[in-house]
Amino acid sequence: MSLSFNVKQGQRIDVWLRETKPANQPLFSVRIRNEVAFKITTAPRYYHYFSWTAWHDGIACLDWLAEHSDISLCYTWHPDTLPEHGVSFIATEGNALRLLSVQDVANVYLQDSLRPALHFSPRTGWMNDPNGLHRQGDEWHLFYQYHPHSTEWGPMHWNHAVSKDLYHWRHYPVFLQPEQNLVALGATGGAFSGSAFIDAQGQTRFWYTERLPAYDLYRGYREIQKMAVPLPGYDKPESVKTVLTELPPGVDCDFRDPKVWYEEADATFYMILGAAVHGDPAMLLFHSEDSERWTFHHVLYTAPKYFRENGGRCVECPDFFCLDGVWVLIIGVVGYTEPVTGRHNLLFAQTGDFRNGNFTPSAQPLQMLDFGTDFYALQTWGEDDSRTGFAWLYNWGTPKSVDSAWCGEMSLPRRFHLNAQQQLCMTPILPPASLVNSEENVAESVLWSSAEGSKACVIAFRPSADFCLTLSGDSGQQIVLDYDDKVLTLREKGQDDGRYHVPLASVQDVTLCFDTGIVEVFANDGSVCGTRRYYSCSALSQIKLTGAPAMITHYRAAYKK
């Protein structure tokens, strides 16, 4: 069955297709003006990228031989309308192709009971680390680690989405692909994590790690650093250049996730990279005069010995920025498991000072940023008066327990500040008023109850002492946040073992965000945060609170039209 739609000159169709069995006719073709303009006669047995550009206005007729091939991802887009409309997905439905409207995509999201209403998620495929986060004009650009062919981790691409308010997103074309088709090599790797930088002339550049074909996930691979310059439309790279390949002394194979910035005082570009030096998780510093030729400066930071002693393999997804005159270093240590609780995927922050290329830690101890373990690979972007960031909301140790077309979400966007005690604080950037369904102040005890259920809400309160907040799910589940004058604990009754907790002398304020099984907790002005993803609970039927009155706000889905 053919799919037909109007195309304009310059419009593109991108498709990832694999052959499942030989055919004597094209697996995929495009006809325009009654002539075949593009055809795929044969393809590998693994997904391969193909692209077609229309050089005439007209009606494009797409034919797909479903009995002999599979399509993992397909969309069409035009450079002139991409900033306004993004891509238009072409979905496979049985043996047919279907061009999805914005409302069609929204309906697909709405029909999945576990699809978050407010947190960003890809339409299909696997997603992990946020990459290249930055603001250009009045729009946010979020790039992210992506595997289009499966809901499991695989050869890494960079996908791309754009938003004005951090909640309503337009999908853009896949921005980066692995240097080689790794499936053909029986290997993993690809375009790993990286960051964005905008120079004084307004040119955006991205630095990222390319893991070359790897045959072991834990050793022996090679990671190099590349720089990508986007085309003016931000749809594809204009150029990609390898800028750093040599490993410093003591560094084995982990050498990744560059963050680049320019220091006016030094007239120098700096790059940090996650690594391990002689087996100790560490952050490396490089410097450059032109941002393309890099020289190793020194080991900027080495994690305390207990990280290595408890499975920590290396630092990854490092961040480093100045906030209110204080430098903040953020690290994740892959493989590290906290010995007392068994938690992992933990992020840590260390404050200090950075001068002449050297970091001097403050007297403040290393700070755990989130006690819930589903907040990892944080990436931030600095503005004149604030700093904003996203993290990957997932836990390698508790994989998704249900089937769906996608896997992985981003956290809510968070704003960063330092409190009087010089702790790094994270507070949620709440959804815009246009997404509010209802808002009310309620007394303690039963705050809210409804047979229809709520997929997304925010509960804010100021307890005077102990409290217990119970979220009852649509199938009898209960997620509990309680404080007993000593410890703040987040758990699902009958499931969690109480490991997700933090000792606290007092709790002054709490904001809890619930979204289709995602719980994000912010206490004491964001100095204490906890994030958990519960796949067992897709909607709430009742909310109870003992110990304080509260404000509760219910939200509609950001993609609902």
Side-chain angles (χ1 to χ4, degrees), residues 181-485:
N181 195 313
L182 297 168
V183 178
L185 304 176
T188 62
F192 275 34
S193 293
S195 59
F197 173 79
I198 301 176
D199 64 23
Q201 290 71 46
Q203 175 64 61
T204 304
R205 283 170 282 171
F206 301 96
W207 283 266
Y208 69 98
T209 297
E210 179 87 33
R211 180 178 285 187
L212 302 179
Y215 300 92
D216 190 304
L217 286 175
Y218 303 103
R219 64 177 187 270
Y221 40 75
R222 185 65 183 267
E223 295 179 332
I224 62 175
Q225 315 313 316
K226 293 186 172 183
M227 183 183 75
V229 178
L231 288 165
Y234 265 49
D235 45 35
K236 300 286 183 181
E238 180 180 77
S239 64
V240 175
K241 180 179 181 180
T242 298
V243 296
L244 181 58
T245 61
E246 296 305 310
L247 301 174
V251 176
D252 188 6
C253 56
D254 293 303
F255 181 61
R256 60 179 174 271
D257 309 338
K259 176 71 178 282
V260 172
W261 77 99
Y262 183 74
E263 274 297 300
E264 294 282 353
D266 302 346
T268 299
F269 287 93
Y270 287 107
M271 174 194 290
I272 56 170
L273 284 162
V277 179
H278 300 299
D280 287 314
M283 184 187 291
L284 311 176
L285 183 69
F286 291 77
H287 62 109
S288 171
E289 294 183 356
D290 60 8
S291 81
E292 295 187 20
R293 291 167 294 183
W294 293 91
T295 302
F296 178 59
H297 195 287
H298 72 297
V299 178
L300 187 72
Y301 177 81
T302 302
K305 292 294 183 183
Y306 61 79
F307 283 98
R308 178 182 183 178
E309 292 166 356
N310 291 284
R313 197 172 83 240
C314 71
V315 166
E316 60 181 4
C317 301
D319 205 349
F320 192 49
F321 53 84
C322 188
L323 188 62
D324 299 331
V326 176
W327 281 85
V328 181
L329 178 152
I330 295 176
I331 59 170
V333 181
V334 65
Y336 170 71
T337 300
E338 191 180 50
V340 176
T341 65
R343 292 178 296 185
H344 55 100
N345 277 30
L346 298 172
L347 288 182
F348 299 88
Q350 177 66 63
T351 57
D353 189 29
F354 181 73
R355 296 176 187 271
N356 302 317
N358 293 287
F359 176 66
T360 304
S362 69
Q364 285 289 109
L366 195 63
Q367 176 189 348
M368 184 191 301
L369 287 184
D370 192 292
F371 67 85
T373 77
D374 284 329
F375 185 83
Y376 195 65
L378 173 67
Q379 181 153 122
T380 68
W381 177 257
E383 301 166 272
D384 292 339
D385 58 351
S386 64
R387 196 157 197 98
T388 302
F390 284 94
W392 176 42
L393 201 151
Y394 193 77
N395 189 327
W396 290 110
T398 53
K400 194 171 184 178
S401 57
V402 293
D403 290 332
S404 62
W406 92 101
C407 187
E409 296 103 11
M410 291 298 166
S411 69
L412 289 180
R414 300 188 183 189
R415 186 103 345 118
F416 295 78
H417 71 275
L418 294 170
N419 64 12
Q421 292 73 41
Q422 296 293 284
Q423 294 173 302
L424 184 64
C425 301
M426 303 183 289
T427 55
I429 301 173
L430 295 177
S434 61
L435 294 179
V436 173
N437 267 335
S438 65
E439 188 173 34
E440 58 180 330
N441 283 301
V442 290
E444 60 178 294
S445 191
V446 178
L447 298 186
W448 174 88
S449 182
S450 171
E452 296 180 1
S454 175
K455 289 196 70 172
C457 63
V458 172
I459 306 152
F461 57 96
R462 292 183 173 275
S464 57
D466 299 359
F467 67 85
C468 181
L469 175 63
T470 303
L471 311 178
S472 297
D474 47 4
S475 298
Q477 312 92 337
Q478 288 190 329
I479 298 169
V480 179
L481 177 72
D482 61 24
Y483 177 65
D484 65 358
D485 196 39

Side-chain angles (χ1 to χ4, degrees), residues 64 66 92-97:
W64 171 46
T92 58
E93 297 183 350
N95 292 333
L97 298 172

Side-chain angles (χ1 to χ4, degrees), residues 3-150:
L3 168 66
S4 299
F5 54 91
N6 290 317
V7 294
K8 296 290 187 180
Q9 183 178 357
Q11 187 162 339
R12 292 182 59 168
I13 295 174
D14 292 347
V15 58
W16 284 259
L17 176 145
R18 69 178 179 186
E19 183 179 293
T20 55
K21 57 182 178 180
N24 55 13
Q25 54 185 307
L27 303 171
F28 183 92
S29 63
V30 181
R31 291 177 285 117
I32 190 167
R33 296 183 176 181
N34 294 319
E35 294 183 358
V36 174
F38 177 77
K39 63 181 178 180
I40 303 171
T41 55
T42 61
R45 290 298 178 98
Y46 47 82
Y47 288 110
H48 189 77
Y49 171 65
F50 300 91
S51 185
W52 171 75
T53 302
W55 297 116
H56 306 283
D57 294 355
I59 298 175
C61 298
L62 277 60
D63 294 295
W64 171 46
L65 197 62
E67 298 87 351
H68 294 262
S69 61
D70 290 331
I71 291 173
S72 65
L73 180 64
C74 185
Y75 48 76
T76 183
W77 55 284
H78 196 288
D80 293 345
T81 60
L82 186 64
E84 183 178 358
H85 300 296
V87 304
S88 295
F89 290 106
I90 299 172
T92 58
E93 297 183 350
N95 292 333
L97 298 172
R98 181 186 174 200
L99 182 65
L100 301 182
S101 66
V102 173
Q103 186 59 56
D104 290 330
V105 175
N107 289 339
V108 169
Y109 274 53
L110 289 166
Q111 289 164 7
D112 194 317
S113 63
L114 275 174
R115 177 76 72 166
L118 302 174
H119 292 70
F120 176 80
S121 61
R123 188 183 73 91
T124 60
W126 165 276
M127 177 180 78
N128 55 291
D129 305 357
N131 298 150
L133 175 68
H134 69 282
R135 185 168 181 153
Q136 185 77 277
D138 65 347
E139 290 194 320
W140 286 93
H141 289 263
L142 172 65
F143 298 79
Y144 55 92
Q145 294 282 273
Y146 184 59
H147 184 214
H149 315 316
S150 169

